[in-house]
Amino acid sequence: MLLLVLEGGGMRAGFVAGALMALIDKRIVGFDEAMAVSASVPTLAYFAAGQREAMEKVWREELNTPKLVCYRNIPVASLAPSVKRPILNIDYLVYKVFQEKFPLDLNALLANRMSCRFAATLVPEGELRFLNPGRGDIYTLFKACLAVPGCYPGSVALSLGEFVDGGTIHPLPVRPLLQRASDRIFAILTKPLACGSEPPNLMERALFWRYFRRYDWMIEKLREAARAYAREVSFLKDLARQDPPRALIIAPERMPPVKFISRDKAKINRTIDMGYRAVEGMEGPIRKFLGKRPG
C-alpha cells in the first residue's frame, strides 16, 4: 500500500499545492490512499478529482484578499470571538471560493482508486478523526477541517459530532495510517525537517482560550501536538533509512515565505513555486520510490 501524507499549516501549505501540481504535470499520481491535514484537505480533494487548474487558481488568485484574511478582526477576536467576525473567514473560502467559483468534481474524487481521508479534531473529546469525503456534504467537511481554533472561533457540526481543524491536536498523524509492514509513505511536509512544530505563542493562547475555555484539554493538546509532530518526523526519517526505504519525504530546505496566514500574493506564489521545484528536483528519486519508469 502506497500512502500519500500531506501536512497543513495555513498558507504554508501552498508548498504542498505546488508539489501536487508538479506530480500531476509529471503524471506521478499512482497512490492507494491519501491523508491531508488542515489547509491541505481541499488541495488533496482537487488533486484526487484531477482539477489541477482549479487548485492553482485557488492558491494563486483567491487567498490574498481581506475577504479571507481579516486582520481588522484581531482585536475583537482576542476579546469576544464571534464566527461573524473571524480572523480567517472560512465560510467565504468554503462557500464562495470552493463551492461557487471552483466547484469540486465530487464524482471524480470518489471515482479515484486512491481513497482519501481528511484529519479533523472531535470536540469536546479532543480526539483525532479521519473523515471520509463520501460521507456528508463535502463543503461542510472542508469547513470542519479548516476551522482553526481562534482564527475561526467555532466548531462545525457533522453527523458524527462537532469538529475543528485536525492539526489542533496532531499536525502530522502518520502512524495511525500504517496497517501493514509493507506499507510505504510519500510525505509532503511544509516545514524543513529540522524545524519542529512550536507550541502556541501568547496571542494564540489568548485566542484559543477565549473561545475554548470550556475545553480544559485545549492548551495541553496544543503542547502535545508539538511533541507529536517531532516524533512523527523522526519516525518518517527512520522509515526513509530502511533498506528498501519505506518513506520518501519532500520538505522545503528553508522555511517557506508564508509562515501561516498572509495577504502577500508574492509570498504565497513563492511558497507554491518552492513546492513545485522541490518535486522537480526529486523527480528521479520519487519515480524510483514509487516504482515509476522515467518518461
Side-chain angles (χ1 to χ4, degrees):
M1 190 75 69
L2 184 58
L3 310 175
L4 174 65
V5 173
L6 309 177
E7 184 183 355
M11 293 180 186
R12 193 176 66 242
F15 182 90
V16 169
L20 292 183
M21 290 175 205
L23 291 178
I24 292 174
D25 291 348
K26 298 177 183 303
R27 299 183 181 180
I28 304 174
V29 293
F31 302 97
D32 299 304
E33 293 184 2
M35 186 282 301
V37 181
S38 191
S40 289
V41 165
T43 304
L44 171 59
Y46 282 113
F47 174 75
Q51 293 175 270
R52 187 225 187 276
E53 183 178 355
M55 184 201 308
E56 181 162 21
K57 286 186 175 180
V58 167
W59 273 99
R60 293 196 186 274
E61 301 174 11
E62 299 295 337
L63 304 186
N64 61 311
T65 170
K67 294 179 181 179
L68 173 62
V69 182
C70 310
Y71 292 137
R72 65 186 181 278
N73 290 340
I74 290 178
V76 176
S78 62
L79 295 174
S82 168
V83 293
K84 295 181 179 179
R85 299 188 69 180
I87 297 173
L88 282 177
N89 192 339
I90 302 303
D91 292 279
Y92 167 79
L93 179 63
V94 170
Y95 298 116
K96 294 296 183 182
V97 177
F98 294 146
Q99 186 174 37
E100 292 186 10
K101 297 187 72 172
F102 301 99
L104 179 74
D105 187 341
L106 183 59
N107 290 333
L109 165 63
L110 298 178
N112 193 319
R113 62 176 290 271
M114 176 183 71
S115 61
C116 296
R117 289 187 277 183
F118 304 152
T121 299
L122 178 68
V123 294
E125 292 83 352
E127 298 175 355
L128 180 69
R129 293 286 188 271
F130 293 114
L131 304 179
N132 185 323
R135 296 185 61 182
D137 175 67
I138 188 67
Y139 299 105
T140 308
L141 291 180
F142 283 174
K143 184 177 176 181
C145 296
L146 296 172
V148 180
C151 292
Y152 183 82
S155 56
V156 178
L158 301 174
S159 61
L160 301 175
E162 297 279 330
F163 290 87
V164 296
D165 185 307
T168 304
I169 63 169
H170 207 320
L172 191 65
V174 173
R175 269 176 271 210
L177 303 173
L178 294 175
Q179 303 296 323
R180 311 165 189 79
S182 59
D183 287 348
R184 295 179 298 145
I185 293 178
F186 181 79
I188 305 177
L189 310 186
T190 62
K191 294 191 295 294
L193 288 175
C195 181
S197 180
E198 298 180 355
N201 60 34
L202 184 60
M203 173 60 79
E204 291 168 336
R205 286 168 62 93
L207 292 173
F208 289 132
W209 180 83
R210 288 289 181 179
Y211 187 80
F212 290 100
R213 58 189 181 276
R214 65 185 181 274
Y215 302 146
D216 56 7
W217 53 263
M218 177 62 72
I219 295 299
E220 181 52 40
K221 284 285 188 179
L222 290 167
R223 294 194 186 101
E224 174 56 29
R227 296 189 287 266
Y229 182 86
R231 290 194 296 268
E232 295 298 81
V233 170
S234 178
F235 178 65
L236 281 173
K237 290 179 179 177
D238 289 342
L239 291 180
R241 285 191 288 264
Q242 291 185 12
D243 185 18
R246 290 186 59 204
L248 182 65
I249 307 168
I250 302 294
E253 295 182 356
R254 62 185 184 282
M255 188 63 77
V258 176
K259 302 299 188 296
F260 183 59
I261 60 175
S262 175
R263 293 208 302 245
D264 190 323
K265 185 174 183 178
K267 286 185 177 181
I268 296 171
N269 282 332
R270 291 204 302 272
T271 300
I272 297 167
D273 294 339
M274 183 183 288
Y276 196 100
R277 290 195 299 270
V279 167
E280 282 189 320
M282 289 281 290
E283 182 176 356
I286 291 171
R287 290 189 180 277
K288 181 178 180 180
F289 178 77
L290 301 183
K292 302 285 185 180
R293 295 181 179 179

